[in-house]
C-alpha cells in the first residue's frame, strides 16, 4: 500500500497560521473485519492528507482493544480552506505489534473523500473498501465534523456613577480600560472606551469584542476594569479599579443592572473612612455568536452551482481550432478548464451534484431557497453596462454570488469595474449594492499556473459573501447552538 509517514506541514494540523477556521473530526467504526483468531480485532485509525500528490499521515487514533465497533476518543484538528480541494483518507488497521510501521498490522479497510464533503454532511457513514476495491465485509466508518473556533462575541453597555472628581476647574473626563490576565500572570489591555467629558456619571457607547479576546472564552476568568480621568498632557489620573467575570456581568439585562465598586487601593490604605471612588455599572451584557461560513455549511446550507456560458458569435465556430469553444481531445479549452476549476470545489456542497448550464439571457431558477453561485464565462466586454450594473445591484439582495471568468485576450476593464473590491457598485438609478457579490478574474493570468490556483482566486471571497447575506437578514444557521 502506498502510504508514507511524511509529516504534514505545521499549517495543516493545529497551527496558528492563517486559515479560514479549524475543524475537529471524530471517527468511529462498525462491523469491522475480525482479523484475530482467539479474540476480536484491535483497531486503530490513521488519517492521511493528499499533499502534492502523496498521502501523508496527519495523525492516528488510540487502539480500541478487542472491539469491532470502536468509538475513538482521539480527534483530528485540520485547517479548513474552502477554496481548496483537501483530500483525506481514513484507513483502519488491526494492531498486531508495537511497531509504527503500518505494513506490520492487518488492514481493515479505508475510505477517501474531501474535507468539503465531510463538513457539508456534518456527519456521514460510509462503507470501508479494501485495496482491491471490494467491500471490507460489512465494515463502515462514521466521520463527524465540528468547527472548534470560538466565535462568540460579547456586547457591553457600561456606565459610571458618582466617580471621583479629578479636575481642578471641572469634574472628570472618565474612560474605562478592560484587561485580561495572561498565562504568565501579566495583564493585557483588551479594550479602551471613549472619553466622556466633564462628568462624574458617564454613559459610554456600547461596544463589542470577541469573547476570546476579553477572557480567552472562559466566562469565569477574572477581568479587570480600570477607570481613568483623561488629561491632555497624557498624565491620566487613576480613579479606581473593579474586578469581575463575564459570568457575573451577564446577569445584567434591560431590566436589571450589575454594579461594582470602583476601588482606588492607595486611597483605601490612607483613608479609614474610604468607601469607594464611585460605581462601575454594567447596563447590559449580551453574548452572541458571530456565525462563520462553516457554521452555515454545517447547518445544512447548500451551494447551488449554475454555469452561464457565452455563446456569442465572437467565440467563433466550435469546429474551428481557433475558437474558444473548440473541443480538443488532447486538452481542455478555457471554458472547460474554468468550469472544472470552480466546479470541483462547489460540487462538495451541492447534494444532487447537478449543475444547470445556461446560455446568456436564460432565466435563473425561481425558487430562491438555499444559496446560489452563478459562474459566467465570457470572451468579451459588456455592451449593456447600465442594465448589467442594475441587475447586479438587485441581485445583491438575493442569496447569490456571481463569479465571472474572462477567457481569451479581450479588454476586460468593464468586467473589473463590476468587481466591487475597490468601490461600491451603483445602479444607474444611484442605488448602491448592499454587498459585493461579484468576483472577476481573467483566465489568461492562470494559463500557466496549476488548475487549483484559479479556483483559489475566484472562490476566495465567496465564504464572506455567504455570511454577509445571512447576517444582513439575521438568519442563524439551522440547528445552531446557543451562545
Amino acid at each position: 500500500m502506498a502510504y508514507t509517514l511524511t509529516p504534514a506541514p505545521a499549517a495543516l494540523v493545529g497551527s496558528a497560521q492563517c486559515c479560514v477556521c479549524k475543524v475537529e473530526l471524530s471517527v468511529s467504526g462498525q462491523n469491522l473485519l475480525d482479523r484475530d483468531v482467539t479474540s476480536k480485532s484491535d483497531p486503530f485509525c490513521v488519517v492521511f492528507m493528499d499533499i502534492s500528490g502523496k498521502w501523508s499521515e496527519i495523525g492516528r487514533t488510540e487502539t480500541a482493544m478487542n472491539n469491532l465497533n470502536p468509538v475513538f476518543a482521539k480527534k483530528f484538528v485540520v485547517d479548513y480552506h474552502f477554496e481548496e480541494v483537501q483530500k483525506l483518507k481514513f484507513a483502519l488497521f488491526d494492531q498486531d505489534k508495537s511497531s509504527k510501521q503500518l505494513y506490520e498490522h492487518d488492514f481493515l479497510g479505508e475510505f477517501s473523500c474531501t474535507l468539503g464533503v465531510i463538513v457539508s454532511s456534518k456527519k456521514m457513514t460510509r462503507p470501508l473498501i479494501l485495496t482491491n476495491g471490494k467491500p471490507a465485509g460489512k465494515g463502515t466508518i462514521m466521520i463527524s465534523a465540528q468547527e472548534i473556533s470560538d466565535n462568540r462575541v460579547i456586547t457591553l453597555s457600561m456606565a459610571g456613577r458618582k466617580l471621583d472628581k479629578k479636575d481642578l476647574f471641572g469634574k472628570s473626563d472618565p474612560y474605562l480600560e478592560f484587561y485580561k490576565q495572561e498565562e504568565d500572570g501579566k495583564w493585557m489591555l483588551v479594550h479602551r472606551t471613549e472619553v466622556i467629558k466633564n462628568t462624574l456619571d458617564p454613559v459610554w457607547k456600547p461596544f463589542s469584542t470577541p469573547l476570546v479576546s476579553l477572557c480567552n472564552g472562559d466566562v469565569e476568568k477574572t477581568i479587570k476594569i480600570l477607570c481613568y480621568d483623561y488629561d491632555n498632557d497624557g498624565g491620566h489620573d487613576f480613579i479606581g479599579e473593579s474586578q469581575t467575570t463575564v459570568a457575573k456581568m451577564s446577569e445584567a439585562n434591560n431590566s436589571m443592572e450589575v454594579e461594582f465598586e470602583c476601588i482606588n487601593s492607595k486611597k483605601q490604605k490612607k483613608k479609614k473612612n474610604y468607601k469607594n471612588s464611585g460605581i462601575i455599572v454594567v447596563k447590559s451584557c449580551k453574548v452572541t455568536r458571530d456565525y462563520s461560513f462553516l457554521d452555515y455549511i454545517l447547518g445544512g446550507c447548500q451551494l447551488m452551482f449554475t454555469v452561464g456560458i457565452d455563446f456569442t458569435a465572437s467565440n467563433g465556430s466550435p469546429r474551428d481550432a481557433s475558437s474558444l469553444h473548440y473541443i480538443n481531445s488532447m486538452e481542455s479549452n478555457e471554458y472547460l478548464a474554468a468550469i472544472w476549476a470552480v466546479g470541483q470545489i462547489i460540487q462538495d456542497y451541492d447534494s444532487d451534484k447537478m449543475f444547470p448550464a445556461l446560455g446568456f439571457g436564460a432565466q435563473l431558477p425561481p425558487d430562491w431557497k438555499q444559496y446560489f453561485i452563478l459562474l459566467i464565462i465570457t470572451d468579451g466586454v459588456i455592451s449593456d453596462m447600465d442594465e448589467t450594473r442594475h441587475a447586479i445591484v438587485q441581485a445583491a439582495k438575493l442569496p447569490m454570488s456571481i463569479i465571472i471568468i474572462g477567457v481569451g485576450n479581450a479588454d476586460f476593464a468593464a468586467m473589473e469595474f463590476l468587481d466591487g473590491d475597490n468601490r461600491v457598485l451603483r445602479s444607474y438609478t444611484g442605488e448602491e449594492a448592499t454587498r459585493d457579490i461579484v468576483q472577476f478574474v481573467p483566465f489568461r493570468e492562470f494559463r500557466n499556473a496549476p488548475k487549483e490556483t484559479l479556483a483559489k482566486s475566484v472562490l476566495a471571497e465567496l465564504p464572506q459573501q455567504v455570511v454577509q447575506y445571512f447576517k444582513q437578514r439575521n438568519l442563524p444557521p439551522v440547528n445552531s447552538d446557543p451562545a
Side-chain angles (χ1 to χ4, degrees):
M1 291 178 290
Y3 294 120
T4 68
L5 295 179
T6 306
L12 293 174
V13 186
S15 79
Q17 296 192 19
C18 179
C19 68
V20 173
C21 55
K22 293 183 183 296
V23 175
E24 181 183 77
L25 302 178
S26 301
V27 180
S28 61
Q30 286 188 324
N31 302 315
L32 301 184
L33 292 173
D34 190 355
R35 297 297 193 187
D36 292 345
V37 179
T38 59
S39 63
K40 297 178 181 178
S41 294
D42 305 320
F44 64 95
C45 180
V46 184
V47 181
F48 301 86
M49 178 172 282
D50 185 341
I51 302 173
S52 301
K54 293 184 179 180
W55 289 114
S56 299
E57 180 179 337
I58 63 173
R60 58 180 70 183
T61 67
E62 76 281 7
T63 298
M65 301 302 293
N66 199 31
N67 191 342
L68 300 183
N69 302 288
V71 177
F72 299 108
K74 171 67 181 297
K75 313 296 183 185
F76 301 95
V77 178
V78 182
D79 287 351
Y80 168 76
H81 300 266
F82 165 75
E83 70 279 7
E84 296 180 14
V85 177
Q86 296 174 272
K87 296 180 181 178
L88 297 173
K89 180 179 288 186
F90 299 81
L92 287 100
F93 298 85
D94 170 32
Q95 180 172 312
D96 287 333
K97 302 177 182 179
S98 60
S99 173
K100 292 185 178 180
Q101 299 299 323
L102 296 179
Y103 64 81
E104 297 196 20
H105 305 284
D106 292 325
F107 181 59
L108 300 178
E110 66 184 18
F111 169 70
S112 301
C113 67
T114 65
L115 183 57
V117 168
I118 297 174
V119 299
S120 64
S121 303
K122 191 172 183 179
K123 182 180 292 186
M124 58 190 299
T125 301
R126 295 291 187 272
L128 291 169
I129 304 298
L130 298 174
T131 52
N132 58 10
K134 294 183 178 180
K138 296 181 179 179
T140 60
I141 185 172
M142 186 172 77
I143 309 165
S144 59
Q146 180 178 358
E147 185 177 8
I148 63 172
S149 58
D150 190 338
N151 54 14
R152 290 175 294 174
V153 173
I154 183 170
T155 301
L156 288 166
S157 180
M158 306 294 297
R161 191 170 67 248
K162 296 182 179 179
L163 299 178
D164 280 356
K165 178 180 179 297
K166 292 291 185 178
D167 293 344
L168 183 61
F169 299 106
K171 297 180 180 179
S172 289
D173 305 320
Y175 67 92
L176 298 179
E177 290 185 343
F178 291 76
Y179 289 82
K180 71 175 178 181
Q181 193 169 26
E182 297 289 88
E183 293 181 0
D184 59 5
K186 296 181 180 179
W187 291 91
M188 173 185 287
L189 177 63
V190 174
H191 179 80
R192 180 183 291 117
T193 68
E194 77 279 11
V195 176
I196 306 296
K197 291 286 189 177
N198 195 32
T199 180
L200 302 181
D201 302 291
V203 177
W204 290 280
K205 294 178 182 178
F207 69 92
S208 299
T209 189
L211 195 65
V212 291
S213 297
L214 185 62
C215 62
N216 294 337
D218 182 356
V219 296
E220 300 293 343
K221 190 178 182 68
T222 300
I223 299 165
K224 278 187 179 182
I225 305 176
L226 275 58
C227 185
Y228 288 93
D229 167 44
Y230 176 84
D231 286 333
N232 290 328
D233 62 4
H236 313 307
D237 296 320
F238 178 65
I239 295 177
E241 169 191 323
S242 301
Q243 293 193 9
T244 183
T245 64
V246 169
K248 180 64 178 176
M249 290 192 295
S250 295
E251 296 175 7
N253 52 50
N254 293 329
S255 60
M256 183 179 71
E257 298 177 342
V258 174
E259 298 181 353
F260 305 99
E261 288 188 314
C262 188
I263 303 298
N264 187 319
S265 57
K266 290 183 178 180
K267 280 191 172 183
Q268 193 176 41
K269 291 177 181 179
K270 291 180 180 180
K271 297 182 179 181
K272 292 183 180 180
N273 297 327
Y274 177 82
K275 186 177 181 181
N276 57 54
S277 293
I279 301 296
I280 300 298
V281 181
V282 183
K283 296 175 66 66
S284 69
C285 174
K286 294 180 180 179
V287 178
T288 57
R289 287 193 179 274
D290 186 15
Y291 294 112
S292 68
F293 170 73
L294 191 53
D295 282 322
Y296 288 101
I297 295 298
L298 291 173
C301 178
Q302 294 275 298
L303 303 182
M304 315 301 286
F305 182 46
T306 302
V307 181
I309 301 175
D310 182 353
F311 288 122
T312 57
S314 59
N315 286 271
S317 171
R319 299 180 183 85
D320 189 337
S322 63
S323 169
L324 290 168
H325 281 291
Y326 181 71
I327 297 178
N328 186 339
S329 59
M330 301 299 293
E331 61 182 355
S332 299
N333 61 37
E334 293 188 3
Y335 280 94
L336 291 174
I339 294 171
W340 180 89
V342 179
Q344 67 164 342
I345 304 291
I346 301 296
Q347 67 172 346
D348 289 344
Y349 307 89
D350 190 331
S351 57
D352 64 8
K353 312 299 184 198
M354 301 292 288
F355 312 127
L358 310 174
F360 286 175
Q363 296 295 315
L364 291 174
D367 187 4
W368 295 102
K369 296 179 180 178
Q370 298 163 328
Y371 196 92
F372 289 78
I373 294 104
L374 172 63
L375 172 63
I376 297 177
I377 310 173
T378 178
D379 80 322
V381 298
I382 298 174
S383 58
D384 51 354
M385 175 58 82
D386 287 346
E387 290 79 5
T388 300
R389 284 163 45 206
H390 182 73
I392 292 175
V393 169
Q394 300 308 310
K397 305 172 187 176
L398 303 173
M400 71 176 298
S401 292
I402 300 173
I403 297 170
I404 304 176
I405 298 180
V407 294
N409 297 309
D411 179 3
F412 293 118
M415 297 295 185
E416 292 171 347
F417 175 80
L418 298 176
D419 190 331
D421 286 344
N422 300 319
R423 68 184 68 84
V424 177
L425 187 68
R426 287 183 172 85
S427 169
Y428 59 78
T429 64
E431 181 181 2
E432 292 186 352
T434 57
R435 58 194 180 98
D436 174 20
I437 64 169
V438 176
Q439 177 75 346
F440 168 76
V441 296
F443 185 89
R444 57 181 175 237
E445 294 182 2
F446 299 89
R447 282 175 181 155
N448 299 320
K451 293 181 179 179
E452 294 80 5
T453 307
L454 175 62
K456 287 183 181 180
S457 179
V458 298
L459 295 175
E461 297 179 6
L462 183 61
Q464 179 185 359
Q465 293 171 358
V466 172
V467 172
Q468 281 180 339
Y469 172 78
F470 289 115
K471 279 187 176 180
Q472 287 177 357
R473 282 148 187 79
N474 293 319
L475 296 173
V478 177
N479 300 322
S480 60
D481 297 327

